[in-house]
């Protein structure tokens, strides 16, 4: 991997949802144990730390109003996929999260986004779609249907590459892979089928390969602006390797949200090209 890192990151615009109603009340991924309970006040403090970090890095953060009865709404990444100001809406796999799809789409319409698409197929937004400059990487296997990949490709006008997830702990693409720059990714190979591992190797021979230990603390659920990487504090060895490549690493404590299977990226939906 080359050593050079983008010198000055372009300010990003993120959408976030305060975990006002956060809870683990049902189980839709292996991380969620309703019997274990959550400390909501602590989740809110950790989330505020993440939001404040983005602001201190010069990024803009918009917030969507949390809705009572939707305890997973804090995971804004699942709310949509936005590319070139075009908003491909989410359609959740589980009944528990289904109302979040229209709620997020309403936010976009009210915020002035005119190009929005109500999806026909099940897809969980940036949880399973990650945009690079020329392509969108997309996962199927646990949540998002492969037909949604084609639907998104047609709506966004960007080629979408289908990847197959294979380990239920890494049920969304953003738990197994993150984008460092427009041609550079980090991922945990074991989260993918052997065919998709071959595809990733062919497309990104210089990718940073994470270990199972990195992945098991949701270290790949990270957010990068080209220079800064916001990453789970427990992902120590991955952080070390990112620093060696020249990235500025910002460890964040989000273990309370990890009880629902989410980390920094899950809480963060990137808004690309905001209408004025
Ligand atoms: N409990 C949530 C779910 O299973 C967590 C979602 C995490 N979001 C993400 N982008 N991976 O749907």
């Amino acid at each position: 991997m080359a050593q050079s890192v983008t010198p000055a990151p372009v300010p990003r615009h993120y959408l976030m949802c305060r975990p006002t109603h956060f809870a683990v009340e049902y189980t839709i991924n292996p991380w969620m144990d309703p019997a274990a309970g959550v400390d909501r006040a602590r989740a809110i403090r950790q989330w505020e730390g993440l939001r404040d970090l983005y602001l201190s890095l010069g990024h803009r953060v918009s917030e969507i109003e949390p809705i009572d009865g939707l305890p997973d709404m804090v995971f804004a990444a699942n709310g949509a996929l936005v590319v070139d100001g075009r908003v491909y809406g989410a359609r959740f796999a589980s009944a528990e999260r289904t109302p979040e799809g229209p709620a997020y789409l309403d936010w976009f319409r009210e915020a002035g986004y005119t190009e929005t698409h109500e999806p026909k197929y099940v897809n969980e937004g940036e949880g399973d779609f990650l945009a690079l400059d020329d392509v969108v990487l997309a996962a199927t296997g646990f949540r998002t249907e492969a037909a949604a990949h084609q639907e998104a490709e047609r709506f966004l006008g960007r080629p979408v590459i289908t990847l197959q997830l294979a380990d239920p702990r890494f049920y969304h693409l953003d738990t197994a892979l993150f984008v460092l720059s427009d041609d550079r990714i980090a991922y945990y190979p074991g989260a993918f089928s052997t065919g998709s591992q071959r595809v990733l190797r062919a497309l990104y021979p210089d990718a940073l390969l994470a270990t199972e230990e990195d992945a098991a603390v949701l270290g790949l659920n990270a957010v990068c602006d080209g220079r800064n990487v916001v990453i789970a504090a427990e992902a120590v060895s991955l952080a070390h390797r990112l620093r060696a490549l020249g990235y500025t690493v910002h460890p964040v404590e989000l273990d309370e949200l990890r009880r629902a299977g989410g980390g920094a990226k899950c809480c963060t939906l990137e808004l690309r090209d905001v209408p004025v």
Side-chain angles (χ1 to χ4, degrees):
M1 220 169 181
Q3 294 287 317
S4 65
V5 169
T6 313
V10 179
R12 310 287 169 125
H13 184 192
Y14 298 130
L15 179 62
M16 298 181 73
C17 180
R18 187 186 190 81
T20 309
H21 308 291
F22 178 62
V24 174
E25 292 168 346
Y26 46 79
T27 304
I28 54 172
N29 69 52
W31 302 81
M32 302 174 84
D33 175 8
V38 296
D39 180 342
R40 187 180 286 156
R42 189 161 176 269
I44 293 173
R45 281 197 302 278
Q46 292 186 338
W47 178 90
E48 285 174 347
L50 178 65
R51 182 201 53 195
D52 294 349
L53 173 60
Y54 289 142
L55 296 172
S56 76
L57 294 174
H59 302 310
R60 179 175 163 210
V61 175
S62 293
E63 290 184 37
I64 180 173
E65 195 61 38
I67 298 174
D68 195 4
L70 297 176
D72 273 332
M73 195 171 168
V74 57
F75 301 116
N78 301 133
L81 166 66
V82 188
V83 174
D84 299 330
R86 294 172 73 79
V87 183
Y88 177 62
R91 184 173 173 137
F92 284 81
S94 62
E96 291 90 343
R97 298 196 67 185
T98 294
E100 293 183 43
Y104 274 93
L105 265 179
D106 284 348
W107 182 88
F108 281 101
R109 292 189 187 110
E110 279 160 26
Y113 290 78
T114 51
E115 304 290 335
T116 60
H117 181 83
E118 237 168 273
K120 185 165 164 213
Y121 297 102
V122 170
N123 84 87
E124 298 197 348
E126 277 203 328
D128 275 327
F129 287 102
L130 292 170
L132 289 89
D133 238 9
D134 299 329
V135 295
V136 175
L137 299 179
T140 187
F142 297 105
R143 302 285 178 89
T144 297
E145 293 180 272
H149 298 177
Q150 279 100 62
E151 185 182 28
E153 179 173 273
R154 282 193 299 273
F155 174 68
L156 300 170
R158 290 243 187 142
V160 174
I161 294 164
T162 293
L163 300 167
Q164 187 79 36
L165 291 170
D167 180 332
R169 290 174 298 168
F170 311 114
Y171 56 94
H172 274 146
L173 181 62
D174 72 357
T175 63
L177 183 153
F178 73 98
V179 176
L180 283 162
S181 65
D182 283 320
D183 55 2
R184 208 187 240 189
I185 63 168
Y187 67 99
Y188 167 53
F192 297 91
S193 69
T194 48
S196 293
Q197 289 179 30
R198 276 200 295 276
V199 171
L200 287 168
R201 270 201 304 276
L203 285 173
Y204 303 102
D206 295 331
L208 179 55
L209 299 185
T211 63
E212 181 170 12
E213 290 71 42
D214 297 323
V217 292
L218 292 182
L220 290 155
N221 197 248
V223 176
C224 181
D225 63 13
R227 175 196 280 173
N228 300 290
V229 182
V230 176
I231 188 169
E234 296 84 353
V236 180
S237 75
L238 185 55
H240 181 75
R241 292 169 64 204
L242 287 161
R243 281 192 196 97
L245 289 169
Y247 292 95
T248 305
V249 174
H250 302 270
V252 283
E253 306 252 346
L254 287 172
D255 51 288
E256 207 58 46
L257 291 156
R258 195 164 52 222
R259 291 170 181 274
K265 170 61 204 162
C266 297
C267 295
T268 312
L269 175 58
E270 185 165 348
L271 307 179
R272 296 177 191 81
D273 275 8
V274 189
V276 272

